[in-house]
Amino acid sequence: MLKAHVQAQSFNLRQLGIETGAGKYRRLAGKVDIFSGYGPRVILGPVRAVISSGDSKSKSGVETTEKLFENNGSLASSSRSEGINVRAVIKIRKKMKEKLTDKIEDQWESLMNGIGRGISIQLVSEDIDPVTKSRKSVETFVRGWLPKLSDSPYVVEYGADLTVPSDFGDPGAILVTNLHDKEFFLMEILVHGFRNGPIFFHSATWIHSRKDNPRCRIIFKNQAYLPSHTPAGIRDLRYEDLTSLHGSKKQERKFHERIYDYDVYNDLGNPDKSKDLVRQVLGTKEWPYPRRCRTGRKPTKTDPYTETRIEKPHPVYVPRDETFEEIKQNTFSAGRLKALFHNLIPLIAATLSSSDIPFTNFSDLDKLYFDGVILKDQEESQEKKTELLSSMMNQVFTVGDKLLKYDVPAIIKRDRFSWLRDTEFGRQALAGVNPVAIELLREVPILSKLDPATYGQPESAITKELIERELRGISVEEAIKDKKLFILDYHDMLLPFIEKINSLPDRKAYASRTVFYYTPDGILNPIVIELSLPPTASSPGNKYVFTHGHDATTHWVWKLAKAHVSSNDAGVHQLVYHWLKTHACVEPYIIATHRQLSSMHPVYKLLHPHMRYTMEINALARQSLINGGGVIEGCFSPGKYAMEISSAAYKSLWRFDMEALPADLLGRGMAVEDPSVAGGIKLVIEDYPYAADGLLVWSAIKEMVESYVEHYYSEPTSITSDIELQAWWDEIKNEGHPDKKNEPWWPNLNTQDDLSGILSTMIWTASGQHAAINFGQYPFGGYPPNRPTLMRKLIPQVGDPEYRKFLKDPEYSFMTSLPTQLQATKVMAVQDTLSTHSPDEEYINELHRIHSLPHSDPEVQNIFEAFRVKLDEIERIIHERNMNVNLKNRCGAGVPPYELLLPSSTPGVTGRGIPNSISI
């Protein structure tokens, strides 16, 4: 960057020897004094530069001028050689929805750019001057009276013309300085005129105003370099660009900044507002957690360890380039609006009042999907709200003519009663929204690892004899040997929190274990459920066992037991498998990638599409979903203890080396090693849709990553000698996941296989894994009886006052145990938002197109093209599987196909599609 730039307010063209009236320039000659901005001052030999005047009198189409500036915004000049005329085309994206003030500002910016007072660019050579051993560069101002509109009405192009000496070499970087008062979005710069053809500088970044930060922005051309291979002329810029992203821990971050740093989760509570909103700081020895992006806000008045909160509609800081682009922002805002109005549904709907009432029968619930709910006549302001809802809520439900009506979730669309059947309960453990918790049952008795002094005898109440009653004459030993018994075990994870949860108003939960039997017919059936409460002096066992039975009473009790298991599953899915293991654990990878890997680094370029929007959606989650008093606490069983459960799960369960899909399946006993099959592992249950489709996607990702790594790291020591790469991996462990930094299971980073495994795990987690456990939330959870997020009553026991009411009206007892109408509608709104693909979503089968921008290497482009072909084949295979009648977990009467791992999707709630990143 130049030491100082010409101040826009005092810029005088005549003082610079430029006659603007006739569009002519007067020639001056001399040397130029250039200051790099970060390094020492460099005195270059004479270099020629020109800027466009719109005059066509010169032979080259532009009038050339040798111009001597001081070191505060100089044009390099030369008499050493005739030079080469080059043109830089700068592409800028405008806002899609502009206020009148924005349009006026745009006109002013166009004027400033037209007269060369808006944007300064400095072209930097990859070579150093052989005489001075210093950087070679040429600077000019973006200039053009009428910016060219591209094919898009929201994109404008400006030109800047320069003359560089014939020995300038290829440009490797462009330094951009924004002299306007506000930021602009720079899409790309294309430089024409060099002998090797146009040189592309992909940017897709916000350029801050110089008044916010005097430093210029460094944009590198679209070529990947390992640190040791960086051309000499831009080597120092590589380091300077990286260090500019580090910042410090001494101040609050500002929204124009691009600072990446770490902090603990200390912004979930709000003790200044209420004692009920005091929450644990996560990221301590007692409550370990991955780190989040630091915002640096002041501590609360009542707790110096808790950061003050920023509430909606004010935004939470994330680095500027991590924020939603306009299309995404508009989509998400509509979703948030839907959630807001869903909170008000009990006040709007005619059947509801200010009290939070339960569903009392299935007809109450069915009205939301089939009949609709007539809204009451309200005051004018309410009618305006209804009109607004009509225009924005067009995906999951419609609002019009005062009728509120939800779309039918996939789970009941083909078969309204499928959710009642045990076969469907088992199918969803393999092909539902949370197919990642089921494990092979390896031994009986089932033992707890909790402290028996606190939690009682470790043996489960599910005995060998009880299981064998359900096995049709097969012994437990034989079923275990043949790998026919499976378990969904939330006992140890939840039992330490059950007493606290049950002390909350209208929350009643158990810690559950569910044993499944995989029948010879290929059906996974739940056969025994154990629901546990903490032991007491009067009830040291406090373990209740249920089987499906055949009489009416047992049948309804079994339904209630399954509902409690589903409630456990919904909470653990949201807090552990979804939020923790994808959203929260990936954020440190993103922070470290920006802090330690240059944007020129091949690993940065590979990971960049898989980091899109994640930090912004995580910040919004901390603001509205996982915060104290937020949607998760209000609508899921754990309530105010939700994030404590997430922290406990991180402590006991999360291991980076087990997040790869094959390792996860082997660890849960759902697959065995088998060198004779593709991929080296064989599924224990062949008809396991998540795993079967997931392994196809995993294999394609790993094959692509291995080819990419081999391309850039062909030398034996190239990985161990890559200082940026080694610093990146060290930082992920020591600063991103510091509570786990001393664990022995962290992979080494020495070989191609090491790097390929690490990168494949990260990409799989951000793409396929997140898609599989996210985009089915409304299709499966949009019908509360199928997947209640909380239960409000324990199962009535003989002798309880509630038992007689249960016998008299079991449907009422069941429905009033589920979430209330307010809780259900809030959750449905959130699940809709989380299940929605934005119109600007980027999917994994589009990587070949996305990587064509930052990569100029044709071999790399071939790698991603081969990946696209592989994904097209995977999509075909998945469609074929969904039509195979022998695969009963994805094909059959009323059975929805398994599409969550289909690579492509259209916008909206589709139940399919793999975005590149965790973007919602």
Side-chain angles (χ1 to χ4, degrees):
M1 173 184 169
L2 302 179
K3 184 178 182 182
H5 290 275
V6 177
Q7 297 293 326
Q9 292 81 358
S10 61
F11 189 84
N12 189 311
L13 297 177
R14 292 190 180 278
Q15 289 178 355
L16 302 179
I18 300 176
E19 297 180 14
T20 60
K24 297 180 179 179
Y25 304 104
R26 182 165 57 85
R27 302 184 65 180
L28 298 174
K31 294 184 178 181
V32 62
D33 182 355
I34 292 180
F35 187 80
S36 70
Y38 307 97
R41 179 174 296 177
V42 180
I43 307 295
L44 295 186
V47 182
R48 183 185 304 259
V50 300
I51 54 178
S52 171
S53 67
D55 193 294
S56 59
K57 293 183 179 180
S58 69
K59 293 180 182 180
S60 64
V62 293
E63 186 75 31
T64 60
T65 286
E66 290 176 357
K67 191 73 189 76
L68 174 63
F69 282 36
E70 295 181 358
N71 63 330
N72 63 347
S74 53
L75 294 176
S77 59
S78 174
S79 58
R80 177 163 51 183
S81 63
E82 292 188 9
I84 304 168
N85 294 325
V86 300
R87 162 161 282 197
V89 178
I90 295 90
K91 189 176 288 187
I92 294 173
R93 190 182 67 215
K94 299 167 58 179
K95 286 184 179 179
M96 303 170 99
K97 293 183 178 180
E98 291 189 303
K99 301 176 184 178
L100 179 60
T101 54
D102 292 326
K103 293 180 179 179
I104 294 173
E105 288 177 352
D106 283 347
Q107 294 297 322
W108 176 251
E109 288 181 3
S110 294
L111 174 63
M112 292 298 98
N113 291 338
I115 63 175
R117 292 177 61 180
I119 303 171
S120 165
I121 64 169
Q122 184 178 351
L123 201 63
V124 181
S125 172
E126 288 189 331
D127 302 333
I128 59 173
D129 188 287
V131 178
T132 65
K133 306 299 182 184
S134 57
R135 187 192 305 162
K136 295 193 290 186
S137 63
V138 177
E139 184 180 21
T140 189
F141 292 89
V142 171
R143 191 173 179 84
W145 291 105
L146 294 174
K148 176 189 173 186
L149 290 175
S150 71
D151 294 336
S152 168
Y154 308 113
V155 176
V156 295
E157 294 178 353
Y158 293 96
D161 294 297
L162 309 94
T163 296
V164 300
S166 57
D167 61 350
F168 185 78
D170 287 335
I174 295 178
L175 312 186
V176 181
T177 302
N178 175 12
L179 304 175
H180 296 295
D181 287 339
K182 69 174 187 177
E183 65 184 2
F184 65 83
F185 189 83
L186 178 63
M187 298 176 67
E188 62 188 46
I189 301 176
L190 190 62
V191 181
H192 301 270
F194 286 91
R195 76 168 61 89
N196 293 326
I199 299 175
F200 185 53
F201 294 78
H202 177 63
S203 51
T205 185
W206 289 97
I207 306 296
H208 60 262
S209 169
R210 190 177 62 171
K211 72 181 181 62
D212 290 327
N213 181 354
R215 286 188 169 189
C216 63
R217 282 294 309 282
I218 304 170
I219 310 296
F220 296 106
K221 76 175 182 181
N222 64 324
Q223 184 165 339
Y225 290 111
L226 294 176
S228 59
H229 298 165
T230 310
I234 58 173
R235 194 169 295 152
D236 60 337
L237 290 178
R238 180 175 186 139
Y239 173 76
E240 290 159 11
D241 189 47
L242 265 181
T243 55
S244 71
L245 303 180
H246 286 200
S248 69
K249 294 183 180 294
K250 295 182 180 180
Q251 63 223 37
E252 182 175 351
R253 299 270 63 94
K254 298 178 177 62
F255 290 105
H256 68 268
E257 293 180 328
R258 298 167 59 249
I259 302 299
Y260 296 79
D261 204 355
Y262 302 94
D263 207 346
V264 296
Y265 277 73
N266 60 354
D267 62 343
L268 303 180
N270 193 349
D272 286 352
K273 185 175 182 180
S274 169
K275 290 183 179 179
D276 291 336
L277 293 178
V278 173
R279 295 294 181 269
Q280 295 286 352
V281 172
L282 305 184
T284 64
K285 185 176 182 180
E286 182 180 3
W287 299 102
Y289 219 60
R291 296 307 190 253
R292 52 115 174 158
C293 182
R294 180 183 177 274
T295 59
R297 297 191 301 270
K298 294 179 181 179
T300 59
K301 297 176 182 177
T302 52
D303 181 4
Y305 299 104
T306 298
E307 188 174 86
T308 52
R309 286 185 53 76
I310 298 292
E311 304 294 352
K312 278 288 189 181
H314 304 292
V316 176
Y317 168 81
V318 294
R320 186 64 182 94
D321 287 339
E322 306 302 323
T323 56
F324 290 162
E325 293 183 25
E326 196 170 357
I327 294 176
K328 176 71 171 181
Q329 184 64 53
N330 293 340
T331 302
F332 190 80
S333 294
R336 296 306 304 160
L337 184 65
K338 285 186 284 189
L340 171 65
F341 278 100
H342 271 173
N343 292 343
L344 300 176
I345 281 178
L347 301 176
I348 299 173
T351 55
L352 301 182
S353 65
S354 58
S355 62
D356 188 7
I357 62 177
F359 296 106
T360 58
N361 53 60
F362 289 103
S363 296
D364 285 347
L365 186 58
D366 289 345
K367 287 178 182 178
L368 292 175
Y369 313 105
F370 302 108
D371 301 329
V373 177
I374 302 298
L375 302 181
K376 282 183 178 178
D377 287 330
Q378 299 286 335
E379 57 185 322
E380 183 181 355
S381 62
Q382 183 59 59
E383 292 177 358
K384 289 181 178 178
K385 290 179 182 178
T386 304
E387 291 175 5
L388 184 59
L389 284 169
S390 299
S391 66
M392 302 191 76
M393 301 182 182
N394 56 7
Q395 291 176 355
V396 162
F397 54 83
T398 57
V399 179
D401 299 327
K402 299 181 181 179
L403 179 68
L404 174 70
K405 187 176 178 181
Y406 284 79
D407 275 357
V408 179
I411 186 59
I412 60 169
K413 200 165 193 174
R414 297 182 177 213
D415 184 346
R416 286 183 59 188
F417 305 106
S418 64
W419 67 275
L420 287 166
R421 292 191 288 270
D422 287 351
T423 52
E424 178 61 21
F425 186 86
R427 189 189 77 85
Q428 288 185 34
L430 299 172
V433 70
N434 191 35
V436 294
I438 190 167
E439 299 181 69
L440 184 72
L441 181 61
R442 294 177 170 94
E443 62 179 6
V444 175
I446 303 165
L447 300 176
S448 169
K449 297 178 181 178
L450 297 174
D451 182 3
T454 304
Y455 300 104
Q457 291 298 317
E459 290 84 8
S460 167
I462 300 176
T463 62
K464 174 183 173 183
E465 293 73 23
L466 198 57
I467 295 174
E468 285 184 343
R469 284 187 215 163
E470 308 295 327
L471 293 186
R472 307 176 187 179
I474 300 173
S475 70
V476 166
E477 290 80 7
E478 185 179 355
I480 289 176
K481 179 183 176 183
D482 292 341
K483 295 181 170 52
K484 299 296 182 182
L485 290 177
F486 300 86
I487 188 169
L488 201 59
D489 192 347
Y490 297 132
H491 178 276
D492 286 10
M493 187 185 299
L494 295 180
L495 191 60
F497 297 92
I498 293 298
E499 186 174 356
K500 292 194 268 188
I501 292 171
N502 289 344
S503 69
L504 299 172
D506 290 327
R507 304 288 170 97
K508 297 300 175 185
Y510 302 92
S512 65
R513 289 188 178 109
T514 307
V515 174
F516 299 82
Y517 172 56
Y518 191 64
T519 71
D521 300 325
I523 302 297
L524 187 68
N525 265 334
I527 57 174
V528 187
I529 292 173
E530 176 191 68
L531 300 177
S532 299
L533 296 171
T536 64
S538 60
S539 183
N542 250 359
K543 298 175 181 178
Y544 306 92
V545 177
F546 305 88
T547 56
H548 51 79
H550 300 285
D551 65 276
T553 302
T554 308
H555 185 68
W556 274 103
V557 170
W558 177 246
K559 276 196 188 90
L560 284 168
K562 288 196 297 181
H564 274 280
V565 173
S566 295
S567 175
N568 280 184
D569 190 68
V572 172
H573 160 259
Q574 198 68 264
L575 294 166
V576 179
Y577 295 110
H578 180 208
W579 166 256
L580 168 67
K581 298 186 83 176
T582 62
H583 285 261
C585 286
V586 164
E587 185 157 340
Y589 310 156
I590 298 172
I591 298 172
T593 298
H594 284 284
R595 285 169 55 88
Q596 299 300 339
L597 298 180
S598 166
S599 60
M600 286 191 287
H601 199 289
V603 170
Y604 176 97
K605 290 180 179 291
L606 176 66
L607 290 179
H608 191 261
H610 307 288
M611 304 187 293
R612 186 176 187 238
Y613 293 157
T614 302
M615 294 179 72
E616 171 85 341
I617 197 66
N618 285 2
L620 289 166
R622 300 200 314 272
Q623 192 173 38
S624 302
L625 295 177
I626 64 171
N627 59 298
V631 173
I632 300 299
E633 288 193 359
C635 301
F636 285 77
S637 282
K640 63 190 290 186
Y641 306 105
M643 292 303 289
E644 291 183 15
I645 291 175
S646 190
S647 171
Y650 177 70
K651 183 177 184 178
S652 62
L653 293 180
W654 187 81
R655 295 177 45 156
F656 182 89
D657 64 327
M658 299 302 289
E659 294 305 295
L661 179 59
D664 170 62
L665 294 171
L666 291 169
R668 290 189 284 122
M670 300 304 292
V672 294
E673 293 184 353
D674 187 344
S676 67
V677 300
I681 70 168
K682 180 180 180 181
L683 295 176
V684 170
I685 298 177
E686 181 183 356
D687 186 14
Y688 183 3
Y690 158 76
D693 294 357
L695 285 172
L696 293 177
V697 176
W698 164 267
S699 177
I701 290 172
K702 194 165 189 295
E703 182 178 330
M704 175 269 289
V705 170
E706 287 174 342
S707 298
Y708 189 90
V709 168
E710 184 178 4
H711 177 71
Y712 283 106
Y713 291 96
S714 56
E715 300 172 9
T717 62
S718 55
I719 289 177
T720 54
S721 62
D722 186 335
I723 56 174
E724 288 183 6
L725 189 70
Q726 294 299 326
W728 168 77
W729 186 232
D730 286 342
E731 184 166 297
I732 286 173
K733 294 181 291 184
N734 296 318
E735 296 193 48
H737 289 270
D739 304 321
K740 297 266 189 176
K741 65 182 180 181
N742 295 321
E743 297 288 352
W745 41 254
W746 285 103
N748 294 317
L749 183 51
N750 300 320
T751 66
Q752 287 186 4
D753 286 344
D754 293 340
L755 180 56
S756 296
I758 290 167
L759 295 175
S760 297
T761 298
M762 291 179 176
I763 293 172
W764 160 254
T765 302
S767 58
Q769 180 65 27
H770 179 259
I773 59 179
N774 181 73
F775 292 103
Q777 290 195 70
Y778 186 80
F780 287 99
Y783 189 67
N786 178 64
R787 195 168 175 77
T789 55
L790 61 82
M791 296 295 284
R792 303 193 307 126
K793 297 178 182 179
L794 297 176
I795 297 177
Q797 301 294 312
V798 177
D800 292 345
E802 286 289 319
Y803 192 73
R804 264 185 199 287
K805 296 179 182 178
F806 164 68
L807 293 178
K808 185 177 180 179
D809 193 345
E811 181 183 354
Y812 178 87
S813 292
F814 180 85
M815 294 300 293
T816 55
S817 295
L818 301 181
T820 65
Q821 295 191 32
L822 173 59
Q823 291 166 332
T825 51
K826 285 168 71 174
V827 167
M828 291 162 71
V830 172
Q831 289 172 332
D832 155 48
T833 302
L834 297 180
S835 302
T836 299
H837 290 297
S838 171
D840 76 333
E841 191 66 86
E842 294 179 347
Y843 298 94
I844 196 167
N845 64 339
E846 297 174 319
L847 277 175
H848 66 292
R849 175 184 59 78
I850 296 166
H851 279 293
S852 68
L853 298 176
H855 281 287
S856 60
D857 190 329
E859 289 188 40
V860 172
Q861 293 176 10
N862 289 338
I863 291 171
F864 289 109
E865 178 61 27
F867 182 59
R868 181 196 64 79
V869 172
K870 187 77 170 180
L871 290 174
D872 287 347
E873 174 68 8
I874 289 171
E875 192 146 328
R876 184 191 63 78
I877 293 171
I878 291 175
H879 283 305
E880 286 184 355
R881 288 174 173 177
N882 285 333
M883 294 186 290
N884 186 343
V885 295
N886 295 317
L887 300 177
K888 300 175 183 178
N889 288 320
R890 62 199 307 159
C891 183
V895 176
Y898 187 78
E899 297 182 327
L900 288 169
L901 285 167
L902 280 171
S904 66
S905 178
T906 55
V909 180
T910 63
R912 60 174 289 175
I914 304 177
N916 290 318
S917 60
I918 301 167
S919 58
I920 189 65

